[in-house]
Amino acid sequence: VVPDRKRILDVGEDALVTAVITRYGALPEHVLIGPGDDAAVLDIPGQVVASTDTLVEGYDFRRDWSSARDVGIKTAAQNLADIAAMGARPLALLVSLAAPGDLPSRWATELAEGLDDECRRAGAAVVGGDVSQATEIVITGSALGVLSGRPVLRSGARPGDGVALAGTTGPSGAGLALLTAGVATGDDAMLAELVRAHLAPRPPYPAGVAARIAGAHAMIDTSDGLLRDAGRIAASSAVSIDLDPVALTPGDALRHAAAVLHAGHAGMDWVLSGGEDHALLACFPPGTALPPPFRPVGRVLPVDLDHDHDPHTQVLVEGRPWTGVTGWTHFSR
Amino acid sequence: VVPDRKRILDVGEDALVTAVITRYGALPEHVLIGPGDDAAVLDIPGQVVASTDTLVEGYDFRRDWSSARDVGIKTAAQNLADIAAMGARPLALLVSLAAPGDLPSRWATELAEGLDDECRRAGAAVVGGDVSQATEIVITGSALGVLSGRPVLRSGARPGDGVALAGTTGPSGAGLALLTAGVATGDDAMLAELVRAHLAPRPPYPAGVAARIAGAHAMIDTSDGLLRDAGRIAASSAVSIDLDPVALTPGDALRHAAAVLHAGHAGMDWVLSGGEDHALLACFPPGTALPPPFRPVGRVLPVDLDHDHDPHTQVLVEGRPWTGVTGWTHFSR
């Protein structure tokens, strides 16, 4: 089969939208009207949770590193994880693609396949979208979910709570470091898995609802690094968070990658500061039986009055401020 | 007061988000959790209607023509009009801003003011967003609304229906032509109004719900030109649409602009083919008392079997295919 290398400029807007829509599987029951009209119509039996997140070529992905399918998975994962982080169940995704006219239409349809794949893994579906012409590729997802009961906010953590993590932090940052260094993963399955974690993260969505049901006081999706995102809970809740370095000890793959890259931190900087893992970090009342796959990684303390109120200093590692990198930020030089 | 000319790169992501959020007014009752957490939480008493639409600098707006406030109004209008076009009431908007790091932070906060202003006019509110770094400005809105009863789709028009328009088509296209030609509107209120219609459209949102209640069979938001959008109803419904050129006679301002620009069409090309007016075009059963501000502009016919099924030929003007421009398309050279 000869790949379709027609440019989206030549395919035209309406035909492109039709080609993309055919890549989406059958619509779940809660989607009353799917893509193709002015808007989608959904039956959402509960409160509606909504969030939006954007990926920009060159900043958030590179076409020489990521397949279009990877970018689709990452777009869906980033957005749907925000729904899970409220204690809600993801249901739907809207996707806007702005791209140069010379983008192969095959890239757009493979993007759609990745979006669809990750949406289905989360129990959601792509319900609508938009295409526009632009100089660089910018993809914005907007996710919708359903919530029964109270949302789990960033602001509810209380001193005494246990801090727990569903998923792992570090693999995405390590994968990015490997890609940046140009390390060929070859037959090395551990390295390849770290690169996959960066290119196509697969968040533990059901852990979001499970955390809410178990009574989580606060939760966040770790998109910008564990320290930075824990800092957001700490700042919103006016508490300190003390992370346990033993519980966060880098696994074999991270230590192996650190060795390959001659990184002196043995993987710990990736665990604490690497972005885009989309694990769920939650604070539970003391004595809570943690729902799987949550595992304890720290505890919530009163704000340490010896420190100022800069959120970065409200997260400690074994009682001390961490002196390494403190997370990935947009708008950095 | 010295304007804040700090670049968003220097302000930083978290501070920028905080600065933007403060520009939004008080949240309406249906917004349980607004901007600032992983996602917003809404109480939507009915079916949920959702749509997304993107504006790209250089393609959809120019910073030398539009103020940031204008771009905010246009972003909100484009998105919220899609909700109205389903017969639904707009409730909420998510907004993602991708922008170069040297964008003045004042531009972002003024954008937020425009978004907030148009949302409030529609009965909605900005409930969340995202900022990313990019080479050019790309703004994606995602609108949510509430629907009671059946959505008004593009596919429901039937032969015999009357075709009606709420709002006007043409002003935005004329405004764009004036801007492109570099005509200074000066004290000419008619020309200035056309330019305003292009830069900051103000769709007739309540007409969407009114059309549904009056029993509209089909509806669409005129974003890409009357002929092209009527063609989408025609294609989806497998009907022809015959537009009445007398009912669509260009008004004084359009004729004036055509004279100033020495355009031979006396404004009619803008009425039929100009984009971005965000009027609502609907098809009503015969004999329907049209809810204001709808006025009759044509009728629905069976598909003319002498023509092929190219949607563009399914829209006629006074029984004949229109030979002028047929609407604005993305991905055009």
Side-chain angles (χ1 to χ4, degrees), chain A residues 37-244:
Chain A
D37 215 298
D38 285 26
V41 182
L42 307 167
D43 188 16
I44 300 187
Q47 291 167 3
V48 177
V49 180
S51 183
T52 189
D53 214 350
T54 291
L55 282 82
V56 181
E57 183 177 12
Y59 298 89
D60 299 298
F61 66 90
R62 286 171 52 163
R63 267 191 275 172
D64 55 339
W65 289 352
S66 297
S67 69
R69 194 184 163 81
D70 288 340
V71 177
I73 291 170
K74 190 165 186 163
T75 302
Q78 243 177 247
N79 277 282
L80 300 170
D82 281 328
I83 301 302
M86 301 299 282
R89 189 159 64 84
L91 286 182
L93 187 71
L94 300 162
V95 181
S96 168
L97 168 65
D102 65 1
L103 185 76
S105 69
R106 189 189 166 87
W107 201 92
T109 51
E110 287 182 358
L111 175 76
E113 289 172 6
L115 291 165
D116 188 64
D117 188 74
E118 185 63 8
C119 277
R120 283 183 196 274
R121 208 178 68 83
V126 183
V127 298
D130 179 51
V131 288
S132 310
Q133 195 164 359
T135 305
E136 67 195 342
I137 302 179
V138 178
I139 305 167
T140 298
S142 296
L144 300 178
V146 60
L147 178 73
S148 316
R150 296 163 69 92
V152 185
L153 305 181
R154 297 176 180 182
S155 53
R158 301 177 207 165
D161 284 354
V163 178
L165 188 68
T168 51
T169 61
S172 177
L176 175 60
L178 290 164
L179 287 164
T180 304
V183 173
T185 56
D187 288 339
D188 191 323
M190 280 199 290
L191 297 187
E193 200 185 315
L194 296 174
V195 169
R196 289 304 304 154
H198 177 70
L199 298 179
R202 302 284 194 167
Y205 305 110
V209 169
R212 179 179 55 71
I213 291 173
H217 282 160
M219 187 155 49
I220 193 168
D221 148 50
T222 66
S223 53
D224 296 336
L226 185 55
L227 287 175
R228 194 168 151 92
D229 289 316
R232 288 173 169 148
I233 288 185
S236 297
S237 302
V239 297
S240 283
I241 287 180
D242 189 26
L243 296 173
D244 173 4

Side-chain angles (χ1 to χ4, degrees), chain B:
Chain B
V1 178
V2 178
D4 182 2
R5 299 230 169 269
K6 247 186 183 176
R7 306 178 305 166
I8 56 177
L9 175 66
D10 300 325
V11 172
E13 184 184 359
D14 287 354
L16 179 66
V17 168
T18 303
V20 162
I21 289 173
T22 60
R23 301 306 165 110
Y24 303 137
L27 290 170
E29 217 167 77
H30 64 265
V31 182
L32 306 179
I33 304 292
D37 214 297
D38 284 23
V41 181
L42 306 167
D43 187 15
I44 301 188
Q47 292 165 2
V48 177
V49 180
S51 184
T52 189
D53 215 349
T54 292
L55 282 83
V56 181
E57 182 176 15
Y59 297 89
D60 299 299
F61 66 90
R62 285 171 50 162
R63 268 191 275 173
D64 55 338
W65 289 353
S66 297
S67 69
R69 195 184 163 81
D70 289 339
V71 176
I73 292 170
K74 191 166 186 163
T75 301
Q78 246 178 242
N79 277 283
L80 300 170
D82 281 328
I83 302 302
M86 301 300 282
R89 190 159 64 84
L91 286 184
L93 188 70
L94 299 163
V95 181
S96 166
L97 168 65
D102 65 0
L103 185 78
S105 69
R106 188 189 166 87
W107 201 92
T109 51
E110 287 182 359
L111 175 76
E113 288 173 5
L115 290 165
D116 188 65
D117 187 75
E118 184 63 8
C119 277
R120 288 190 188 266
R121 210 181 65 86
V126 183
V127 298
D130 178 52
V131 289
S132 310
Q133 196 164 0
T135 306
E136 66 195 343
I137 302 179
V138 177
I139 306 166
T140 297
S142 296
L144 299 178
V146 60
L147 177 72
S148 316
R150 296 162 67 92
V152 186
L153 306 182
R154 297 177 180 181
S155 55
R158 301 175 206 166
D161 283 354
V163 178
L165 188 68
T168 52
T169 61
S172 176
L176 175 59
L178 290 164
L179 288 164
T180 304
V183 173
T185 57
D187 288 340
D188 192 323
M190 280 200 287
L191 297 187
E193 201 185 314
L194 296 174
V195 169
R196 289 303 305 155
H198 178 70
L199 297 179
R202 300 285 194 167
Y205 306 110
V209 169
R212 180 179 54 72
I213 291 172
H217 282 158
M219 187 154 51
I220 194 168
D221 149 49
T222 67
S223 53
D224 295 337
L226 185 54
L227 288 175
R228 194 170 151 91
D229 289 315
R232 288 174 168 149
I233 288 185
S236 297
S237 302
V239 297
S240 283
I241 286 179
D242 189 25
L243 296 173
D244 175 3
V246 175
L248 292 167
T249 300
D252 291 348
L254 290 181
R255 288 202 309 275
H256 174 47
V260 167
L261 292 172
H262 308 292
H265 55 70
M268 197 61 183
D269 258 6
W270 294 323
V271 170
L272 292 173
S273 309
E276 303 188 301
D277 284 299
H278 304 293
L280 293 175
L281 183 72
C283 302
F284 292 92
T288 304
L290 293 180
F294 280 99
R295 61 198 169 86
V297 297
R299 61 199 175 118
V300 178
L301 304 176
V303 171
D304 182 349
L305 295 177
D306 291 343
H307 292 289
D308 63 24
H309 284 267
D310 175 357
H312 289 213
T313 69
Q314 288 182 310
V315 180
L316 309 169
V317 179
E318 214 170 16
R320 287 189 303 267
W322 180 253
T323 52
V325 189
T326 54
W328 193 84
T329 175
H330 301 268
F331 307 115
S332 59
R333 273 170 265 224

